């Protein structure tokens, strides 16, 4: 059992989740690095955590299924009681207008980006709530600047899933503040990860970056810093907060 407790990072094998797992481990949390298909990448995150003196484990599970979420919590509990959850796993789909969206596409995005976050949070809350004998805890949801901007002509369905996450963050924070559980979100802008290649625009960070207020795309490590702060005792009075890490993208009128 680590000094800070056990933190689950869904989708911790690559991108923002991988950077968050490394950063959180450096703060003393035992990290549960969940992945769906990238076993080697998850192993490499765990190796770097351990090389830096941290502890953790990896767990393969598709968190868009309830069985997958259960498997992640079962793996976490082998390390100790879960006191933190980073709901990071999320996907987009090919950019385009709504005319091109299939029912299956929208359902898949909703399932991973929204349903999975709500059900994983339910499992975390059950364990963290003081009334159940828990010690309280913290949940961080990874939203997107798209929640504010709407992502017209890119993926309005993806943006809508992240809008749901913002609303969920505020509601859950109010519902569980009295039980010692803080719930916050981070809203990244354009961050250099595989996300963009997976939605058909691999050069997006390089193309969009120079036009942003801070003149470049962000890095996963910059998002991880905000996650780590919201999880830390330094943020003990912050709940229901949604922190933009977008290089100013979210505030362009
Ligand atoms: P990424 O580099 O594509 O990484 C996605 C991660 O999610 C991978 O570790 C992947 O694991 C995991 N994952 C995908 N489906 C999963 C499933 N069904 N079950 C478990 N894990 C799953 O993406 P990213 O950019 O880091 O995105 C992370 C989060 O940030 C997402 O919620 C995304 O919406 C959000 N975000 C990203 C940006 C950006 O510009 N990059 C901006 C705003 C918000 P496997 O490889 O093992 O499948």
């Amino acid at each position: 059992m680590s000094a800070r407790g056990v933190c689950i990072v869904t989708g911790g094998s690559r991108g923002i989740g991988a950077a968050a797992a490394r950063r959180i481990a450096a703060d003393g949390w035992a990290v549960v690095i969940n992945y769906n298909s990238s076993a080697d990448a998850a192993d490499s995150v765990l190796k770097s955590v351990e090389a830096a003196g941290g502890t953790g484990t990896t767990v393969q599970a598709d968190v868009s299924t309830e069985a997958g979420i259960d498997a992640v919590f079962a793996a976490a509990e082998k390390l100790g009681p879960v006191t933190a959850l980073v709901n990071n796993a999320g996907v987009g789909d090919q950019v385009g207008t709504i005319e091109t969206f299939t029912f299956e596409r929208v359902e898949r995005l909703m399932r991973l980006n929204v349903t999975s976050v709500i059900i994983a949070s339910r499992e975390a809350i059950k364990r963290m709530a003081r009334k159940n004998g828990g010690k309280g805890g913290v949940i961080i949801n990874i939203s997107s600047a798209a929640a504010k901007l709407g992502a017209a002509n890119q993926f309005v369905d993806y943006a809508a899933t992240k809008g749901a996450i913002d609303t969920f963050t505020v509601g859950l924070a109010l519902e569980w503040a009295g039980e010692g559980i803080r719930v916050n979100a981070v809203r990244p802008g354009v961050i250099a990860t595989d996300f963009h290649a997976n939605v058909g625009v691999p050069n997006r960070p390089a193309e969009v970056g120079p036009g942003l207020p801070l003149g470049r795309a962000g890095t996963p490590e910059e998002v991880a810093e905000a996650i780590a702060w919201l999880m830390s005792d330094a943020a003990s009075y912050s709940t229901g907060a949604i922190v933009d890490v977008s290089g100013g993208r979210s505030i362009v009128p």
Side-chain angles (χ1 to χ4, degrees):
M1 174 81 179
S2 78
R4 295 305 314 255
V6 177
C7 174
I8 292 170
V9 181
T10 67
S13 49
R14 294 185 288 110
I16 292 168
R22 289 192 199 95
R23 180 63 184 78
I24 291 163
D27 274 352
W29 299 84
V31 282
V32 179
I33 302 155
N34 158 243
Y35 66 98
N36 187 24
S37 52
S38 305
D40 289 350
D43 284 345
S44 136
V45 175
L46 179 58
K47 280 201 180 82
S48 62
V49 162
E50 290 173 341
T55 57
T57 190
T58 61
V59 54
Q60 190 285 323
D62 176 356
V63 293
S64 72
T65 69
E66 192 164 23
I69 292 168
D70 289 345
V72 173
F73 277 86
E77 281 172 340
K78 289 183 187 153
L79 301 183
V82 176
T83 49
L85 167 67
V86 180
N87 281 312
N88 166 77
V91 287
D93 206 321
Q94 293 297 300
V95 295
T97 64
I98 196 170
E99 299 162 289
T100 65
F101 299 173
T102 62
F103 188 94
E104 289 70 27
R105 163 193 165 124
V106 176
E107 194 174 51
R108 192 169 55 80
L109 293 186
M110 290 289 172
R111 201 176 163 99
L112 179 61
N113 295 3
V114 183
T115 309
S116 142
V117 171
I118 294 172
I119 299 301
S121 299
R122 181 195 71 193
E123 290 308 305
I125 295 269
K126 274 194 216 164
R127 290 160 172 84
M128 295 173 182
R130 288 178 184 146
K131 66 175 186 176
N132 298 336
K135 293 191 167 117
V138 59
I139 296 176
I140 309 292
N141 296 323
I142 307 305
S143 174
S144 169
K148 279 176 87 176
L149 302 173
N153 303 307
Q154 296 166 46
F155 28 52
V156 294
D157 49 358
Y158 169 80
T161 68
K162 297 301 187 177
I165 291 307
D166 286 3
T167 305
F168 175 65
T169 299
V170 170
L172 200 69
L174 288 173
E175 195 168 283
W176 293 93
E179 287 287 329
I181 301 167
R182 297 188 296 109
V183 184
N184 294 292
V186 174
R187 209 157 35 194
V190 178
I191 309 299
T193 71
D194 299 338
F195 177 94
H196 307 282
N198 291 335
V199 300
V201 284
N203 298 328
R204 189 167 162 72
E207 283 170 8
V208 172
L212 297 177
L214 286 184
R216 61 175 176 82
T219 66
E221 287 72 24
E222 288 173 309
V223 181
E225 286 298 327
I227 296 169
W229 179 76
L230 285 167
M231 285 179 61
S232 73
D233 291 343
S236 53
Y237 202 52
S238 291
T239 196
I242 304 177
V243 177
D244 287 331
V245 183
S246 72
R249 179 173 172 77
S250 325
I251 53 167
V252 174

